[in-house]
Amino acid sequence: MGTDHATQVTRKERACADLLAPFGPLRWEPTVTGPEAGFRNKAKMVVGGTMENPTLGILDRERRGVDLRGCGILQPDIRACLPAISSFISRARLRPYDVPNRSGELKYVLVSVTPDGAVMLRFVLRSQEAIARIRKHLPYLRDRLPQLHVVSANIQPEHKAIIEGDLEIPLSDARSLTMPLGKIHLHLGAKSFFQTNTHIAQTMYAQARAWCDEFAPSTVWDLYCGVGGFALHCADGTRTVTGVEVSREAIESARRSADEAALANVDFIAGDAEQFALSSDRAPELAIVNPPRRGIGSTLADWFERSTTETVIYSSCNAKTLAADLDRMPSFTLSRARLLDMFPQSDHYETMALLRRS
């Protein structure tokens, strides 16, 4: 932060190029950029301070609340919700969790917003003690935030640096937020993953579709598919597309999106991506992988190396683990890459890599 955006992007391009240089020569597609402020569609706000004067933001080194309601990377629709949420915390008597003393109830508020302004709000609580008060005072919050569509409470009882727990308690009739992306509408449940920058995400899906169309595979796998963004955008009715994701909630959402878009030859499977590949009788002609920051790892990379797959589209949020995975797949050539500035005002970025079997 404090560095002009163009310089930030140039530094990211150099860092990514250096990491991927051993796997070239390759063709770099033009870098994708978007707004440098007001881009983030999800806020994970630590609740600090007191019940009467809560802070929404982060904790300082002494674990005291630092209020970041005016944070410039958040979409304006999110910032507009935060004063009402703060007032609700006081009204419903939700005591912020005191980390040093291990007391209190409310740990985080998680706020997501769609391009048309619909909002999902999740309260992360230490226990279920405050659920009744939240339910009682929700009409007050809805009066002030008519755009509030999905509300839930997540229970995270452990004193650990873990944001969410396993138990999610719905507090609204609606259970998912609809994220429109052109002709495809993704449905985001409470725990569903979606890229934090909607503008860049749309370009990322379009890039995968363009590469997929270029090589016209008859079979496509989308591993770590989440709510199905890549699979749904790459489906054209002729090729067989299979999405795999460990979250059953996300798979149900992906199936709903496919049905609404009337997409043929698309299937979604709830399961571990690595185990799905290892247990399959046949490999796809083209695979799309969008793993977490740790990358696909040695087991899946080795499987691709032994497989008959001709093309891999690798979407990476960590170019260091991307490079490590490429090193494990010497039978593939990194032919093209594209940097997407998914996270302005930070050192992070997304990389799209096109791998072709040599």
Side-chain angles (χ1 to χ4, degrees):
M1 284 189 175
T3 304
D4 69 274
H5 191 216
T7 301
Q8 291 183 34
V9 173
T10 298
R11 289 176 178 174
K12 294 178 186 183
E13 291 172 335
R14 289 172 180 168
C16 190
D18 288 344
L19 286 168
L20 301 187
F23 310 100
L26 69 148
R27 189 177 88 198
W28 283 94
E29 304 286 359
T31 294
V32 179
T33 60
E36 60 184 284
F39 60 85
R40 190 174 173 90
N41 57 34
K42 184 172 185 177
K44 300 179 180 180
M45 310 297 274
V46 181
V47 183
T50 66
M51 187 167 57
E52 294 76 16
N53 294 292
T55 61
L56 304 178
I58 60 174
L59 300 179
D60 63 16
R61 292 180 179 179
E62 285 72 43
R63 299 295 187 262
R64 295 174 299 192
V66 178
D67 200 271
L68 294 178
R69 288 182 232 181
C71 179
I73 67 172
L74 298 177
Q75 288 193 11
D77 285 342
I78 291 181
R79 295 200 300 270
C81 292
L82 297 179
I85 294 171
S86 176
S87 177
F88 176 82
I89 290 170
S90 301
R91 187 180 186 90
R93 301 190 62 77
L94 304 177
R95 190 174 301 280
Y97 185 63
D98 185 321
V99 175
N101 294 317
R102 303 191 180 194
S103 63
E105 281 294 317
L106 181 59
K107 295 184 173 183
Y108 297 87
V109 291
L110 311 179
V111 187
S112 301
V113 66
T114 67
D116 53 6
V119 173
M120 176 190 292
L121 171 62
R122 301 170 64 205
F123 298 96
V124 180
L125 303 166
R126 186 185 186 191
S127 73
Q128 299 187 46
E129 183 271 333
I131 296 295
R133 295 198 303 279
I134 293 175
R135 291 187 188 277
K136 176 182 177 180
H137 293 285
L138 263 183
Y140 166 87
L141 187 58
R142 288 190 177 279
D143 284 346
R144 284 150 184 79
L145 297 178
Q147 68 272 39
L148 193 58
H149 188 65
V150 181
V151 186
S152 67
N154 180 273
I155 309 302
Q156 206 293 80
E158 297 187 78
H159 184 75
K160 293 182 179 179
I162 301 172
I163 295 180
E164 301 179 29
D166 294 330
L167 179 61
E168 193 81 22
I169 302 174
L171 299 174
S172 60
D173 292 336
R175 304 294 177 88
S176 63
L177 199 62
T178 301
M179 182 70 72
L181 298 174
K183 296 180 180 179
I184 301 296
H185 287 193
L186 302 181
H187 298 284
L188 309 181
K191 294 187 176 183
S192 296
F193 168 79
F194 181 70
Q195 285 81 10
T196 59
N197 189 322
T198 308
H199 170 77
I200 301 296
Q202 289 179 295
T203 307
M204 187 172 67
Y205 293 141
Q207 180 64 80
R209 172 64 185 250
W211 282 344
C212 195
D213 289 346
E214 179 179 345
F215 298 105
S218 62
T219 53
V220 175
W221 287 358
D222 177 9
L223 303 182
Y224 313 94
C225 73
V227 293
F230 284 114
L232 294 164
H233 282 82
C234 289
D236 66 354
T238 62
R239 59 180 69 113
T240 300
V241 179
T242 303
V244 183
E245 165 62 42
V246 71
S247 167
R248 292 187 178 277
E249 176 190 88
I251 289 299
E252 290 174 2
S253 296
R255 289 171 177 164
R256 178 182 171 187
S257 296
D259 290 343
E260 289 177 350
L263 295 174
N265 300 322
V266 182
D267 187 26
F268 291 97
I269 297 171
D272 179 77
E274 186 177 287
Q275 292 303 314
F276 174 81
L278 294 175
S279 63
S280 297
D281 296 331
R282 299 181 64 183
E285 292 182 21
L286 183 147
I288 303 167
V289 294
N290 183 29
R293 289 189 60 79
R294 65 177 181 271
I296 64 173
S298 59
T299 301
L300 188 53
D302 291 344
W303 182 88
F304 276 121
E305 180 68 12
R306 300 190 308 269
S307 75
T308 58
T309 298
E310 290 292 325
T311 307
V312 175
I313 298 173
Y314 195 135
S315 177
S316 169
C317 61
N318 184 351
K320 292 181 179 178
T321 55
L322 168 60
D325 288 334
L326 292 175
D327 197 44
R328 300 180 178 112
M329 302 164 63
S331 293
F332 286 86
T333 298
L334 177 58
S335 62
R336 276 174 263 173
R338 190 171 201 181
L339 188 142
L340 301 97
D341 188 30
M342 184 77 74
F343 314 99
Q345 313 306 330
S346 79
D347 290 331
H348 298 290
Y349 51 88
E350 194 86 12
T351 308
M352 294 282 290
L354 178 66
L355 287 59
R356 293 281 290 165
R357 191 172 291 278
S358 303

